[in-house]
Amino acid sequence: MGSKNTGRNRLVDAVCSSQPERQHDDVAKQRNVASKLQSTSELTLGPVPGRRVERMYLKLPLSKVVIECVTISIDPDECKVSNFIYRHQGLLRATDPQVKSLMRSILKNGQREPILVRPMPAGSPQKYEVLYGSRRRFAVSELNKRGGEKLSLRAWFCSSVPDIDARILARAENEMRVDISPWENAIYVSTYLAENPTGQLILEEELGVDSCAISMLLMLSTLPEAVVRMMVSPNALTFEGGYQLAKAFRDLNEDQQDRILKALSVQQPFNTTAQIRRAFRNESEMLLSGKPGVCAKNDKIVIEGKDGAQIIITRHRTEGNRYIMDITGFDEGRLTKLIESLKEALQIF
């Protein structure tokens, strides 16, 4: 995509100008700050009397007001991720290599960087709105599901951040982080323009792209989420490759799309864009030619056994009478018995 530095720099400057200025006060002052914030937001804050309170003085990018934030410890499940954040929360998975790496880092070194939150309106199911750091929130939540000592989420708590500033803060965070996938950016573009039909010029300036790139992102946004979920990570789907794949899906009717999705689901996960595009091309060619492919009847048979033993039988992509057997959870003794049983079956049939 092209690059217009003006919009990008403006967003980055919004956060870079608000780097933490930390100071330590005595216990009385800590309690005073916590009580003031608590009465304002009606929330229970995390700083413990007798420990130091970390503070950040944040200059809001549009309001130009400097506000004080303090670090708190919160339950990740009490947080709602802001709608201003690009990242598609439904694509966050514990099996994603980047998420796995983050979870390992938190277990080993703790959560080094706090997220940024503001209070939710009174009566909301959650207490906090995450303005940036949604992946860290997800990682801590997933670690807590595994049992053991429950982890708290470290956060900068800002009692009053208007929407106009929250939007820019969230966007600046997204701009600085390279792990927002092209498809997630495309969904943001599509959603933004649906809500603001005359806002394309503003969007081009904000993202630092031209009208051609916006058109490509809009096409990419039509790619079904089910396809992106088949990737080992959303980031494994490139901008150009995803755009071409979306165009190819658009040319199929609804029934053909459903059958292709079923066929691809048997072969997931895909590590690269090239892999899924190759699989899509093979399946679509066989579908349109009438040849049997993975999407043929009985394309996948799963047989579950005791103690985790499993046999998965899938039809070969190009040879209709050929099947592939995947055997897991078998020790040498059980495998020997299985082979003997198969030999007997071959004599019968």
Side-chain angles (χ1 to χ4, degrees), residues 140-332:
V140 173
S141 179
E142 284 297 306
L143 288 170
N144 285 340
K145 292 177 182 177
R146 300 185 176 185
E149 182 180 357
K150 189 171 183 179
L151 301 176
S152 294
L153 185 64
R154 294 181 62 233
W156 290 113
F157 178 82
C158 302
S159 60
S160 56
V161 180
D163 282 354
I164 56 172
D165 294 298
R167 189 181 196 96
I168 296 300
L169 288 172
R171 295 293 170 262
E173 168 75 3
N174 294 330
E175 286 292 319
M176 291 192 298
R177 292 188 175 276
V178 297
D179 54 2
I180 302 292
S181 71
W183 186 83
E184 290 169 293
N185 278 310
I187 292 298
Y188 166 68
V189 168
S190 175
T191 303
Y192 181 90
L193 290 180
E195 298 173 351
N196 307 275
T198 61
Q200 180 163 330
L201 291 178
I202 296 175
L203 192 60
E204 290 175 13
E205 181 70 12
E206 180 180 322
L207 296 178
V209 299
D210 56 23
S211 59
C212 179
I214 293 293
S215 297
M216 294 179 69
L217 284 166
L218 288 173
M219 173 57 69
L220 177 56
S221 71
T222 66
L223 188 67
E225 181 179 334
V227 176
V228 185
R229 287 181 175 276
M230 294 179 192
M231 307 300 297
V232 67
S233 168
N235 300 83
L237 187 68
T238 64
F239 174 64
E240 178 65 28
Y243 166 75
Q244 296 296 338
L245 198 57
K247 286 178 61 179
F249 259 93
R250 180 195 59 182
D251 295 336
L252 300 174
N253 61 41
E254 187 175 345
D255 178 67
Q256 290 170 335
Q257 289 182 6
D258 289 342
R259 295 176 68 184
I260 291 294
L261 287 173
K262 180 182 178 183
L264 294 179
S265 67
V266 178
Q267 305 170 57
Q268 67 173 313
F270 297 96
N271 294 314
T272 65
T273 304
Q275 286 182 352
I276 194 169
R277 289 187 65 190
R278 189 183 308 115
F280 173 85
R281 184 168 55 251
N282 291 339
E283 294 301 332
S284 59
E285 288 175 355
M286 288 185 289
L287 177 64
L288 296 175
S289 67
K291 295 180 181 180
V294 174
C295 53
K297 186 177 180 180
N298 295 330
D299 56 323
K300 183 177 182 179
I301 301 172
V302 179
I303 305 172
E304 302 282 355
K306 297 179 180 179
D307 302 324
Q310 184 183 72
I311 300 175
I312 301 177
I313 303 174
T314 55
R315 187 188 294 270
H316 193 271
R317 291 201 306 270
T318 58
E319 300 178 30
N321 294 325
R322 181 179 176 185
Y323 293 83
I324 301 171
M325 182 181 294
D326 184 16
I327 303 171
T328 58
F330 280 71
D331 56 27
E332 187 173 347

Side-chain angles (χ1 to χ4, degrees), residues 24 84 95 118 197 274 310:
H24 303 165
F84 300 145
T95 55
R118 65 176 180 175
Q310 184 183 72

